[in-house]
Amino acid sequence: EEEEDEEQDTKEEEEEEEELDAEALENQKVINENALVKEARDADLNKIEQSQVAYIAGKNFEGHSVLVVIGSRIPPVSEFRMLQLKLYVTRLLAKIAHKDYVIVYCHTNAYFSSSYFGWLQKVRDEMPRPFKKNLASMIIVHPSLFIRACFGFMRPFLSTKFWRKLVYISSSQTTCLDDHIGPLRTKDIMPSFVILAGQTDSRDLGPVFGSTLEIALARSPPQSRIPRVIYECVSYLKSCALETDGLFRVPGSKTEITELRRLYETDEDIRLFTTHDYRQPNHHNVASLLKEFLRDLEEPLVPFKSYDAMVKLGGRLPAVQTEHRRLTASAAAAADGKEAVETEEQSTTDVNDEMAVVQELTRIMRDEVPQAHRLSLRYLIEFLVELDKHSDKNRMKASNLAMIMAPNIMRAKEQKPEDMLHEFHMIQRTMLCLIRNVGVIFDAEADGPVHDDSE
């Protein structure tokens, strides 16, 4: 009996300790949650707020506040940027999550790697309990197959209540979002590219050529994250034209280019890759078509707001002609078994200047250039790098490509005639720097592929 009493006492003591431990853990969790809300309230989040990655749109017909999150504006994964995003979303939720609320997540043109889902799960665990409890509805607009598959994989770990709150709205059902957020209207609270992606007949959006990149993208296949014209032209030239003499320098046939434009405007199957097809174009025609598309964009790949920075950065780099002569002299000296004459001071200064320019270009591409523009730039410039590698056959070195392509991807909204020549030389230098450092300036892993094969 004494042994049984001792066992009972021990069991009761263990249960008391477990209850105290659970209570302590719960108290610590509340302390952590309150600390997170305070940190979010006090943090400097101006930059991420300006990106419009998330915002409170208003209230729906049930009186629930609506929080909109734009997937394509979520920054590339890094510890600092993800912390900023977590704090910003926490700050917004702290304003509305004391009552029932709705989250509308737009996946239009967005890319999610598995690392994002790990981050989301961690953030969800850290959020205060009312934030999770008061979620009335989670609406995912334009979900990809990958998004659906990931949620399906997580189904065993999510409550039945959550699945009743989850709503998918495909591109063909975009107008149905009004039924969930009314009296708010989709066209009033969503970015234009989300509305464009929901159009049933893409030709109603506007022309492919001479329009915005967003319209050209909306008229492209859903699996493409850059405009169809850029993806198909670059892919075609990369596959069969790397050694074509004078590519981008030699003009194509105006008649053939006009016909290619007509095919793209009418959404016909151009089948560039079919070698036996009677429509297969000349390499120079495709290169000229690509330049024409870039040149005719209402806003170039490098946005107007970043043009002045491109000019200033070019002023910190050596002239393209000077650089070309230096490389030629180095190659000639190497052929003669000699070393090129260059002072250590010159070399160090040039390297330091270019490193500083590369850092600033990296920041601009990450923070100022919209995702579709950035992806298109990366895909195009990676191809220019490949062309440069075959310059012994195509006679198109990086310096030549920079001079030809710079005015097609960056230009001023308004320009004084007396500034044109000077700025032309400056953007050539910046373009050459982009070609040389594409792997550093663009974060391909974070931005993801330009063509989503999971669709």
Side-chain angles (χ1 to χ4, degrees):
E1 288 180 3
E2 290 179 1
E3 289 179 357
E4 288 179 0
D5 289 341
E6 288 179 2
E7 287 179 4
Q8 182 65 29
D9 290 342
T10 302
K11 186 176 181 181
E12 289 177 357
E13 289 175 1
E14 289 175 350
E15 289 176 351
E16 288 177 4
E17 288 179 1
E18 288 177 0
E19 289 177 3
L20 290 172
D21 288 343
E23 186 177 349
L25 285 172
E26 187 63 30
N27 289 337
Q28 185 60 50
K29 190 173 182 181
V30 172
I31 291 171
N32 292 342
E33 291 171 353
N34 291 337
L36 175 64
V37 173
K38 183 179 184 303
E39 185 182 4
R41 185 182 64 240
D42 299 338
D44 180 6
L45 303 173
N46 288 335
K47 182 174 288 188
I48 197 162
E49 182 177 10
Q50 290 169 6
S51 73
Q52 286 284 287
V53 63
Y55 48 89
I56 299 169
K59 293 187 177 183
N60 67 3
F61 55 85
E62 293 180 303
H64 300 162
S65 294
V66 177
L67 175 67
V68 177
V69 180
I70 308 299
S72 63
R73 294 175 180 169
I74 291 176
V77 174
S78 79
E79 186 174 347
F80 174 74
R81 289 193 289 267
M82 291 297 98
L83 173 61
Q84 291 273 294
L85 180 59
K86 179 180 75 172
L87 293 176
Y88 183 58
V89 171
T90 302
R91 178 186 290 181
L92 294 177
L93 287 175
K95 297 177 180 179
I96 62 174
H98 57 284
K99 296 180 179 179
D100 287 353
Y101 68 98
V102 175
I103 291 180
V104 178
Y105 168 69
C106 297
H107 192 65
T108 318
N109 301 339
Y111 169 75
F112 258 31
S113 65
S114 56
S115 56
Y116 279 108
F117 279 92
W119 174 80
L120 280 173
Q121 184 61 43
K122 183 180 177 183
V123 169
R124 182 182 179 278
D125 293 340
E126 294 177 2
M127 286 291 167
R129 185 177 297 174
F131 289 18
K132 293 176 276 190
K133 179 183 176 183
N134 293 336
L135 176 63
S137 181
M138 173 79 173
I139 303 170
I140 302 182
V141 180
H142 304 162
S144 65
L145 290 177
F146 177 73
I147 289 288
R148 290 176 182 265
C150 286
F151 272 103
F153 176 77
M154 293 192 297
R155 192 178 189 98
F157 309 102
L158 298 172
S159 67
T160 305
K161 285 184 179 179
F162 176 81
W163 286 102
R164 287 200 293 265
K165 299 174 182 179
L166 185 63
V167 178
Y168 290 126
I169 295 183
S170 65
S171 56
S172 61
Q173 301 171 319
T174 304
T175 54
C176 297
L177 180 59
D178 287 347
D179 298 335
H180 298 273
I181 63 172
L184 299 174
R185 294 186 300 176
T186 304
K187 67 177 184 178
D188 295 331
I189 70 169
M190 292 295 171
S192 59
F193 65 86
V194 177
I195 310 301
L196 293 174
Q199 295 285 347
T200 53
D201 188 346
S202 65
R203 285 174 293 186
D204 294 339
L205 301 174
V208 173
F209 286 77
S211 189
T212 64
L213 193 81
E214 288 69 31
I215 288 178
L217 179 58
R219 290 196 54 180
S220 302
Q223 66 268 27
S224 184
R225 301 174 67 217
I226 63 175
R228 177 191 175 199
V229 181
I230 297 177
Y231 180 74
E232 291 185 350
C233 287
V234 170
S235 298
Y236 173 75
L237 294 171
K238 189 186 295 185
S239 70
C240 59
L242 288 174
E243 296 184 356
T244 300
D245 185 38
L247 196 69
F248 288 119
R249 176 170 51 80
V250 177
S253 163
K254 187 63 180 175
T255 302
E256 293 297 325
I257 295 169
T258 301
E259 174 62 9
L260 286 172
R261 283 187 64 147
R262 186 192 68 78
L263 293 172
Y264 273 109
E265 292 292 4
T266 54
D267 292 333
E268 292 189 38
D269 182 11
I270 300 177
R271 296 155 66 188
L272 292 176
F273 294 98
T274 309
T275 54
H276 62 271
D277 192 275
Y278 73 95
R279 285 176 173 171
Q280 189 195 4
N282 174 279
H283 299 165
H284 296 299
N285 293 341
V286 177
S288 296
L289 179 77
L290 177 58
K291 285 198 300 180
E292 207 166 279
F293 172 78
L294 297 173
R295 188 169 58 248
D296 290 351
L297 284 170
E298 285 186 10
E299 183 164 24
L301 291 187
V302 175
F304 290 129
K305 67 179 181 181
S306 302
Y307 177 77
D308 288 342
M310 298 293 113
V311 173
K312 290 178 182 177
L313 291 174
R316 298 165 62 181
L317 296 166
V320 173
Q321 293 87 344
T322 303
E323 180 67 7
H324 181 70
R325 285 196 296 270
R326 186 184 71 80
L327 293 174
T328 302
S330 297
D336 294 337
K338 301 175 183 178
E339 290 188 6
V341 178
E342 183 176 29
T343 67
E344 184 177 344
E345 185 178 351
Q346 272 182 311
S347 178
T348 302
T349 302
D350 289 347
V351 169
N352 289 341
D353 284 347
E354 183 154 353
M355 285 177 61
V357 170
V358 167
Q359 289 178 349
E360 181 60 12
L361 284 172
T362 302
R363 185 200 65 78
I364 290 171
M365 292 300 157
R366 184 189 66 229
D367 298 339
E368 296 183 11
V369 178
Q371 185 190 62
H373 289 242
R374 185 171 65 247
L375 288 172
S376 299
L377 274 168
R378 190 190 90 207
Y379 194 60
L380 173 63
I381 296 173
E382 285 174 344
F383 169 58
L384 299 182
V385 172
E386 291 301 310
L387 274 181
D388 177 56
K389 291 178 181 177
H390 293 78
S391 59
D392 58 326
K393 298 286 181 61
N394 61 41
R395 297 192 295 172
M396 294 301 294
K397 292 182 178 295
S399 54
N400 303 122
L401 293 167
M403 284 188 274
I404 291 171
M405 297 305 293
N408 290 297
I409 70 167
M410 55 182 94
R411 65 178 185 272
K413 195 169 188 178
E414 295 179 357
Q415 193 172 41
K416 298 176 182 177
E418 60 268 26
D419 294 335
M420 290 181 65
L421 184 60
H422 168 72
E423 292 181 1
F424 179 60
H425 289 308
M426 295 303 105
I427 63 173
Q428 286 176 27
R429 300 178 189 184
T430 306
M431 185 71 208
L432 181 58
C433 186
L434 285 167
I435 295 173
R436 280 177 153 187
N437 301 281
V438 62
V440 178
I441 294 170
F442 297 90
D443 191 340
E445 183 177 356
D447 275 338
V450 300
H451 202 264
D452 188 354
D453 294 324
S454 70
E455 289 292 342

